[in-house]
Amino acid sequence: MTDMRSPRRKAPPSQDQASPDKAPPRRRNPVETRRALLDASIAEFAENGLAGARVDAIARRAGVNKQLVYHYYGSKDELFTASLEEVYRHIRTQERELELHALEPVAAMERLVGFSFDYLAEHPEFITLLNDENRMRSAHLKDSRELVDMHSPLVEVIATILERGVQQGVFNERFGPVNLYISIASLSYFFFSNNSTLSAIFNRDMSTPAEVARRRQHVIDLVLHALCSNYQPTG
């Protein structure tokens, strides 16, 4: 005789037995999301500039939904401003860790100039973002109070080094901290921002380790010889 009993039904899986294919999505930490978006946007803007960068591409790089970009940053322009603030924040943080106050004036200035050169060598994205912002006549920098405030501590550090050097008789009094900062930055910046054209003009690869090391020492020597007539490297 045919068994008319209803087939036994399987009990629903408990939470501990839930299929891995249907695991609940992990909730993103807002701090992690912002960090991922900043990293992704810096990379995207460095490669394509503000005009060529795409919000979809930034979201894809960050591994988030496109709507989260607008949720956290409002617009592509606001994200570009945040990216500029972030690259400046990073270099200022690194500068504070140099502990220049603990060094004698000549050694402190050597370390600062060498660091400024090395940072640009290691962070080409800093140069490309700044080049893009300069083409836009600092439209984003002008609206960022944070970026303006970031430079004040560095100028104060340079002023203190200069003052100590003058008091000790190793530096002359011809240079103010702002102009000295501009000179230090530009001597290194031009070499990296124009490396390709310099290589073509002088018919040699200016990006080789030997050329980079030669330029680095030249920049240090140039700044320190301008500050003190009897400069002798401390390293």
Side-chain angles (χ1 to χ4, degrees):
M1 186 172 67
T2 305
D3 188 351
M4 302 298 293
R5 288 177 298 178
S6 299
R8 181 180 296 175
R9 294 182 180 178
K10 291 183 179 180
S14 66
Q15 288 186 345
D16 293 337
Q17 298 172 327
S19 169
D21 295 335
K22 295 184 178 181
R26 183 174 67 88
R27 295 183 64 184
R28 266 192 174 270
N29 182 310
V31 175
E32 291 177 357
T33 301
R34 284 182 176 274
R35 178 73 265 165
L37 284 171
L38 274 179
D39 290 343
S41 64
I42 289 170
E44 177 71 12
F45 290 134
E47 285 184 17
N48 301 300
L50 176 61
R54 295 290 176 263
V55 173
D56 303 68
I58 292 171
R60 224 170 17 251
R61 284 177 185 263
V64 303
N65 186 288
K66 179 180 176 180
Q67 295 307 313
L68 280 179
V69 180
Y70 297 109
H71 172 73
Y72 283 108
Y73 291 100
S75 68
K76 189 169 75 167
D77 276 282
E78 289 179 35
L79 189 52
F80 187 77
T81 299
S83 298
L84 283 171
E85 290 173 344
E86 179 60 20
V87 295
Y88 266 113
R89 188 182 299 112
H90 188 263
I91 189 173
R92 295 290 96 92
T93 299
Q94 297 289 307
E95 285 163 347
R96 286 195 297 272
E97 294 176 359
L98 296 175
E99 297 186 345
L100 299 175
H101 62 278
L103 300 173
E104 289 299 308
V106 172
M109 196 61 68
E110 283 178 334
R111 180 175 291 185
L112 176 61
V113 177
F115 165 82
S116 299
F117 186 93
D118 294 340
Y119 190 88
L120 295 181
E122 296 163 7
H123 295 275
E125 72 280 359
F126 184 82
I127 294 172
T128 53
L129 262 68
L130 263 63
N131 284 345
D132 208 21
E133 179 67 358
N134 274 296
R135 281 194 293 270
M136 293 180 282
R137 299 186 178 276
S138 300
H140 304 83
L141 286 176
K142 290 174 182 176
D143 293 333
S144 175
R145 183 70 244 173
E146 183 177 352
L147 282 168
V148 176
D149 292 341
M150 281 183 202
H151 285 74
S152 297
L154 177 62
V155 172
E156 291 171 8
V157 168
I158 294 174
T160 300
I161 296 172
L162 285 174
E163 184 179 354
R164 287 197 292 126
V166 170
Q167 289 174 350
Q168 294 179 22
V170 295
F171 288 164
N172 59 59
E173 299 184 82
R174 291 184 294 159
F175 302 99
V178 173
N179 267 323
L180 184 59
Y181 163 73
I182 294 172
S183 295
I184 292 171
S186 59
L187 284 168
S188 300
Y189 189 94
F190 183 87
F191 176 75
F192 290 108
S193 66
N194 293 56
N195 199 274
S196 180
T197 52
L198 291 172
S199 296
I201 290 168
F202 296 110
N203 195 30
R204 69 176 194 248
D205 187 356
M206 304 297 284
S207 66
T208 65
E211 290 290 352
V212 172
R214 187 177 294 113
R215 178 64 187 179
R216 183 184 192 276
Q217 190 58 53
H218 174 80
V219 172
I220 293 173
D221 289 346
L222 200 63
V223 172
L224 270 296
H225 277 295
L227 287 170
C228 44
S229 57
N230 299 315
Y231 169 62
Q232 294 295 328
T234 62

